[in-house]
Amino acid sequence: MTAELPPDHSALEAVISAAIVRCAAGEQSALRVIYDSEAARMVGVAMRILRRRDLAEEATHDAFMRIWRSARSFDPSRGAARAWIYTIVRNQALTILRDERRFGPDEPTDNEMPEPNSALARLPESSALRHCLEQLDTGRRSAIVLAYVHGFSHGELAGRLGVPLGTIKSWIRRGLVSLQECLG
């Protein structure tokens, strides 16, 4: 069931504010009300900052995750609901922009990128972890090894490997799920 959104600004603000309060109470359908009303504009705000659709969509997705987790902190006496939402998406976009720039592929690095397979080769051939890592595709395996063995952040990996931040996050998340299943 999708709520019909009112055309005037003050009524829309009331709907969004009420939806945030319902999110704080754990009502998932309330997040859908916010999404249906604001997602397209949120992507537009993120696009103006990031200039890339994939990153803008990632910032918007991250913003919705943050809205859901932080809904309890929203206080209507401190500001408008829509302003709160757009502050979140703007901050997410700026975080992505900062990470992408800081670790861009054209930036000089202090040291060379370690070879992920060298860490894999140090594991005993009979190791279950080695066996499971070898079953992962190269991208996921490299991202996991570079993040967990060599300590690279998601932003560093995105910049150094020349892959969007969302792709790195996805590779690591899906790779870890595959490892859990394999080792489980």
Side-chain angles (χ1 to χ4, degrees), residues 54-76:
D54 61 330
L55 294 178
E57 289 172 354
E58 179 183 335
T60 303
H61 175 268
D62 291 350
F64 274 102
M65 297 293 289
R66 185 118 184 230
I67 289 165
W68 178 255
R69 287 190 311 264
S70 302
R72 285 186 182 99
S73 70
F74 171 67
D75 180 1

Side-chain angles (χ1 to χ4, degrees), residues 8-59:
D8 68 272
H9 179 72
S10 61
L12 177 60
E13 179 63 30
V15 167
I16 299 301
S17 183
I20 294 171
V21 170
R22 291 185 1 242
C23 282
E27 188 179 320
Q28 292 180 358
S29 63
L31 192 62
R32 183 66 188 202
V33 170
I34 299 168
Y35 181 87
D36 290 343
S37 172
E38 302 299 322
R41 282 183 288 258
M42 290 169 72
V43 170
V45 167
M47 275 288 293
R48 284 192 293 279
I49 295 168
L50 296 165
R51 308 253 186 249
R52 281 182 44 194
R53 179 124 189 123
D54 61 330
L55 294 178
E57 289 172 354
E58 179 183 335

Side-chain angles (χ1 to χ4, degrees), residues 82-99:
R82 292 180 76 220
W84 185 75
I85 288 169
Y86 285 98
T87 298
I88 291 172
V89 75
R90 180 180 171 277
N91 288 342
Q92 292 301 130
L94 290 171
T95 296
I96 290 171
L97 182 65
R98 183 182 60 243
D99 287 346

